[in-house]
Amino acid sequence: MQLQCPLPKMDFDVITLGHGSGGLLTHQLLESGVFDVLKNDLLDTQHDGAVFSLEGKMAFSTDSFVISPIFFPGGNIGSLAVHGTVNDLAMCGAIPKYLSLSFIIEEGLPMNDFWEILLSIKVACEEAGVQVITGDTKVVEKGKGDKIFINTTGIGTVPQNANISTKNIKKGDKIIISNSIAAHGIAIMSLREGLSFESEIESDSRALNGIVKTLIERFGEDIHLLRDATRGGLASVLNEIAQFTALGIEISQAKIPLEEQVAGACEILGLDPLYVANEGVFVAFVAPEIADKCVDLLQTQAGSQAAAIVGEVVEAHPKKVVLTSGIGGRRVVSLLPGEQLPRIC
Amino acid sequence: MQLQCPLPKMDFDVITLGHGSGGLLTHQLLESGVFDVLKNDLLDTQHDGAVFSLEGKMAFSTDSFVISPIFFPGGNIGSLAVHGTVNDLAMCGAIPKYLSLSFIIEEGLPMNDFWEILLSIKVACEEAGVQVITGDTKVVEKGKGDKIFINTTGIGTVPQNANISTKNIKKGDKIIISNSIAAHGIAIMSLREGLSFESEIESDSRALNGIVKTLIERFGEDIHLLRDATRGGLASVLNEIAQFTALGIEISQAKIPLEEQVAGACEILGLDPLYVANEGVFVAFVAPEIADKCVDLLQTQAGSQAAAIVGEVVEAHPKKVVLTSGIGGRRVVSLLPGEQLPRIC
């Protein structure tokens, strides 16, 4: 995506402490570009909050993004911050509506980086159909932050036919993975380690709300649980669910969608793809009778063409995730004790 | 306030990168204390978002807090983060309901500091009548953050008789300051500079939603605008309003409530109290006929006992704030070009 800087005439080349002061420079920064870029009817440029009307059941979710590096193949911290919160809302079965946007910027961030991030936020919001309606900008001294951290917090409406909850999971539920795993983490790690491949591995960062809306319209309450497999990857999400439900989870390694190049990179980097972060992949627990139709539908949608049933919920080995390997061996997949990939999102 | 650490048995004395991994340590941190401390019916411990029901007009506001030092007389970054967002919602005329809570922690933060901050958040939420219903924890490497940054984002409901907007401001409106100014900024600066006074100057950080609710119940739409005078202080808020309305603002220095000790500290530190941040003071623009009654009511409430009418809206000098000094001189009070007090909130 080619983004043009809308502001060739800022007085500063970099963000300074004054841009976070609440004084003249803050106003210049906001009025000379931020409000224009994010423009919408509800973005209140004169107050510290926005006012809107909604009815009924709502979802609310927050995420702070501290990824390093801030630009990476397939996106940057701005698009990621939109996708991350939009996806968390979608995983509640909600239709994301409004976002707040809060920056913590390290003094010295090049102004052009800031605008590029802001434009990516705008594009990601448009694609996901959400609006940024309130925000905040803070600046910290050089060495007290790391370029830019972004918090997005979102509100969405939950349709009546959505009923997404860990409590709905039953023995026999099929487990679907929406797309090939591990691309986000590997894209970031390759960049950090200076690895290059035949074709560049891109982050899978994308908004999933469109796909989820389609699924829920079609299958309603037969979709029991949705979870995006971000930090900690697929293994962590499945472990959390197993522990909460006190049921067992069986998965088959051969069925888990994984691109060959990503698999190769995982080997080089010594990473187990099951633990690598995704930013555009979700796990769905669904009633067994709709599982095949669900995969068929997913495979017709951009962003979930590699969807597959990878396992099911069992009564054996409660609270444990057991993987059958490609050659038939079985092993328990546990939660990682520490940090495999710091600052991946 | 004496807070006891609820968790004498954590395996770690400090926060590590693993606590932000989304894996086992993150779970331990959350399950061994965070969820218990913040406990409420909506705090969803199994999902990335919370679901609730509300109807009608709502306010939405976000703030990231990067104050340094994180502990100060009168509060800490945790209580401040609750007060700040609760107050932004209150300034929309809203009754704050729900908060999200997101931490960006620098590796090495003492675990006891984290619990003390968390307990202050709990107490501040209880006092303000709000609930934390969703959250996030990220950890960055030593030297890539500064102890802890907190984002809170809040949702509140706007009562039917509240109509708070810069557009409501008219010539003749009286300007009320809710309490003595400059205490927060001076408390922080004194700490940073190692100054001590006869009695310690404490931050005025407090939730204003109770006071605002009382005002709106009593005076409804005659309260035209509310703004808390945080970063940039009273001068910055008044300038923003003058510029947006294209009306003039007259204020009288002699009427602005300012404690003697704070005034003295401002002189020592070379700071103009008009620009010093407050975290428990708001400016109200009200219809002239209710101004005296409004001040009378404020003076009966804890946290606004020094309330006073300090000026009014005029047609002369549009977009400018003019101050009449104690000895009768007049000067324009402008927006500060740069940063007077970095990281004050």
Side-chain angles (χ1 to χ4, degrees):
Chain A
M1 180 168 47
Q2 194 60 42
L3 294 170
Q4 270 198 318
C5 175
L7 283 171
K9 59 182 169 51
M10 282 298 288
D11 294 340
F12 291 79
D13 293 335
V14 299
I15 297 279
T16 68
L17 281 176
H19 289 110
S21 66
L24 198 61
L25 285 182
T26 307
H27 283 258
Q28 279 178 5
L29 184 69
L30 296 176
E31 282 162 20
S32 66
V34 175
F35 288 148
D36 276 354
V37 171
L38 298 177
K39 197 168 188 168
N40 62 63
D41 290 348
L42 289 171
L43 180 63
D44 191 330
T45 63
Q46 298 304 321
H47 220 285
D48 288 332
V51 173
F52 62 88
S53 290
L54 280 179
E55 305 274 304
K57 235 163 95 176
M58 270 166 262
F60 186 42
S61 184
T62 191
D63 244 328
S64 285
F65 295 85
V66 300
I67 191 167
S68 173
I70 56 174
F71 295 97
F72 48 83
N76 63 47
I77 191 170
S79 51
L80 181 68
V82 174
H83 296 156
T85 292
V86 160
N87 291 350
D88 282 346
L89 293 171
M91 296 305 119
C92 298
I95 297 169
K97 295 280 183 189
Y98 304 124
L99 295 185
S100 66
L101 175 65
S102 178
F103 298 113
I104 299 175
I105 305 173
E106 183 191 19
E107 181 188 16
L109 180 77
M111 199 58 87
N112 283 340
D113 287 359
F114 180 69
W115 296 125
E116 186 168 343
I117 290 166
L118 196 70
L119 285 167
S120 299
I121 289 171
K122 174 198 174 71
V123 171
C125 282
E126 285 173 358
E127 286 172 357
V130 294
Q131 293 180 324
V132 170
I133 62 171
T134 191
D136 182 45
T137 305
K138 294 281 162 37
V139 181
V140 296
E141 307 91 325
K142 192 102 192 149
K144 300 294 184 184
D146 194 10
K147 297 190 176 73
I148 186 167
F149 300 146
I150 300 180
N151 177 280
T152 50
T153 303
I155 298 177
T157 53
V158 183
Q160 290 213 318
N161 57 339
N163 181 12
I164 305 295
S165 167
T166 321
K167 292 174 194 136
N168 297 336
I169 292 178
K170 293 182 191 69
K171 178 195 162 194
D173 276 4
K174 295 291 181 188
I175 301 168
I176 295 170
I177 305 290
S178 70
N179 216 359
S180 300
I181 65 166
H184 177 73
I186 292 303
I188 305 302
M189 284 306 283
S190 303
L191 193 59
R192 286 191 200 158
E193 303 292 327
L195 294 183
S196 59
F197 302 97
E198 212 166 306
S199 64
E200 190 175 49
I201 296 177
E202 287 200 348
S203 165
D204 63 347
S205 177
R206 67 181 303 145
L208 297 167
N209 56 320
I211 299 174
V212 167
K213 184 165 176 277
T214 306
L215 274 190
I216 288 178
E217 279 170 1
R218 173 82 179 275
F219 301 110
E221 300 198 355
D222 284 334
I223 309 289
H224 293 168
L225 186 74
L226 299 168
R227 284 291 300 273
D228 52 347
T230 56
R231 261 188 304 181
L234 183 59
S236 301
V237 167
L238 294 179
N239 264 284
E240 284 172 26
I241 296 166
Q243 280 171 27
F244 183 76
T245 57
L247 288 163
I249 287 178
E250 288 274 349
I251 52 173
S252 161
Q253 190 161 30
K255 293 183 182 161
I256 297 170
L258 175 65
E259 284 185 12
E260 204 177 323
Q261 192 167 239
V262 173
C266 281
E267 270 189 37
I268 294 168
L269 291 162
L271 297 171
D272 182 341
L274 289 178
Y275 293 94
V276 175
N278 311 279
E279 293 293 342
V281 174
F282 64 90
V283 184
F285 284 66
V286 306
E289 55 275 19
I290 64 146
D292 287 327
K293 285 178 234 158
C294 200
V295 168
D296 289 346
L297 178 59
L298 284 169
Q299 289 178 348
T300 67
Q301 307 284 310
S304 56
Q305 284 161 341
I309 299 171
V310 302
E312 68 176 80
V313 177
V314 296
E315 277 182 343
H317 52 80
K319 300 193 180 187
K320 286 202 165 53
V321 179
V322 173
L323 175 109
T324 304
S325 78
I327 53 167
R330 285 166 60 80
R331 67 175 169 97
V332 173
V333 176
S334 341
L335 270 184
L336 275 196
E339 176 59 293
Q340 189 190 38
L341 299 173
R343 298 184 58 194
I344 204 72
C345 61
Chain B
M1 179 169 45
Q2 196 58 43
L3 294 170
Q4 270 198 317
C5 177
L7 283 170
K9 56 182 171 51
M10 281 298 287
D11 294 339
F12 291 81
D13 292 335
V14 299
I15 298 278
T16 67
L17 281 176
H19 289 110
S21 66
L24 199 60
L25 285 182
T26 307
H27 282 258
Q28 278 179 4
L29 184 68
L30 296 176
E31 281 161 22
S32 66
V34 175
F35 289 148
D36 276 353
V37 171
L38 299 176
K39 196 167 188 169
N40 63 63
D41 290 348
L42 289 170
L43 179 64
D44 191 330
T45 63
Q46 299 304 322
H47 221 283
D48 288 331
V51 173
F52 61 88
S53 289
L54 279 180
E55 305 274 304
K57 237 163 91 178
M58 270 166 262
F60 186 42
S61 185
T62 190
D63 245 328
S64 286
F65 296 84
V66 299
I67 192 167
S68 173
I70 57 174
F71 294 97
F72 49 83
N76 63 48
I77 192 170
S79 51
L80 181 68
V82 174
H83 296 156
T85 291
V86 160
N87 291 350
D88 282 346
L89 293 171
M91 296 304 119
C92 299
I95 296 169
K97 295 280 183 190
Y98 304 125
L99 295 185
S100 66
L101 174 66
S102 177
F103 298 112
I104 299 175
I105 304 174
E106 183 191 20
E107 182 188 13
L109 180 76
M111 200 58 87
N112 284 339
D113 286 359
F114 180 69
W115 295 124
E116 187 169 342
I117 290 165
L118 196 71
L119 286 168
S120 299
I121 289 170
K122 174 198 174 72
V123 171
C125 282
E126 285 173 358
E127 286 172 357
V130 294
Q131 293 180 323
V132 170
I133 61 171
T134 191
D136 182 45
T137 304
K138 295 280 161 39
V139 181
V140 297
E141 307 92 324
K142 192 104 192 148
K144 299 295 184 183
D146 194 12
K147 297 188 176 74
I148 186 167
F149 301 145
I150 301 180
N151 177 279
T152 51
T153 303
I155 298 177
T157 53
V158 183
Q160 290 214 318
N161 57 339
N163 181 11
I164 306 294
S165 166
T166 321
K167 292 176 193 134
N168 297 336
I169 293 178
K170 294 181 191 69
K171 178 195 161 194
D173 276 6
K174 296 291 181 188
I175 301 167
I176 295 170
I177 305 291
S178 71
N179 216 0
S180 301
I181 65 166
H184 177 72
I186 293 303
I188 305 303
M189 285 305 283
S190 304
L191 193 59
R192 285 190 201 158
E193 304 292 328
L195 294 182
S196 59
F197 302 96
E198 211 165 306
S199 64
E200 190 175 49
I201 296 177
E202 286 200 349
S203 166
D204 63 348
S205 178
R206 68 181 302 145
L208 296 167
N209 57 320
I211 299 174
V212 167
K213 184 163 176 275
T214 306
L215 274 189
I216 288 177
E217 279 170 1
R218 174 83 178 275
F219 300 110
E221 300 199 356
D222 283 334
I223 309 289
H224 293 167
L225 187 75
L226 299 167
R227 284 290 300 274
D228 53 347
T230 54
R231 262 188 304 181
L234 183 58
S236 302
V237 167
L238 294 180
N239 263 284
E240 284 172 24
I241 296 166
Q243 280 170 27
F244 183 77
T245 58
L247 288 163
I249 287 178
E250 288 275 349
I251 51 172
S252 163
Q253 190 161 31
K255 293 182 182 160
I256 297 170
L258 176 64
E259 283 184 13
E260 202 176 325
Q261 192 167 244
V262 174
C266 281
E267 270 188 37
I268 294 168
L269 292 161
L271 297 172
D272 182 341
L274 290 177
Y275 293 94
V276 175
N278 312 280
E279 292 293 343
V281 173
F282 64 90
V283 184
F285 283 66
V286 306
E289 54 276 18
I290 65 144
D292 287 327
K293 283 179 236 160
C294 199
V295 168
D296 290 346
L297 179 59
L298 284 170
Q299 289 178 347
T300 66
Q301 307 284 309
S304 56
Q305 283 160 341
I309 299 171
V310 301
E312 68 177 81
V313 177
V314 296
E315 277 181 343
H317 52 79
K319 300 193 180 184
K320 286 204 164 53
V321 179
V322 174
L323 173 110
T324 303
S325 78
I327 53 166
R330 284 166 62 80
R331 68 176 169 96
V332 173
V333 176
S334 341
L335 271 184
L336 275 196
E339 175 59 292
Q340 189 191 38
L341 299 174
R343 299 185 58 194
I344 205 70
C345 60

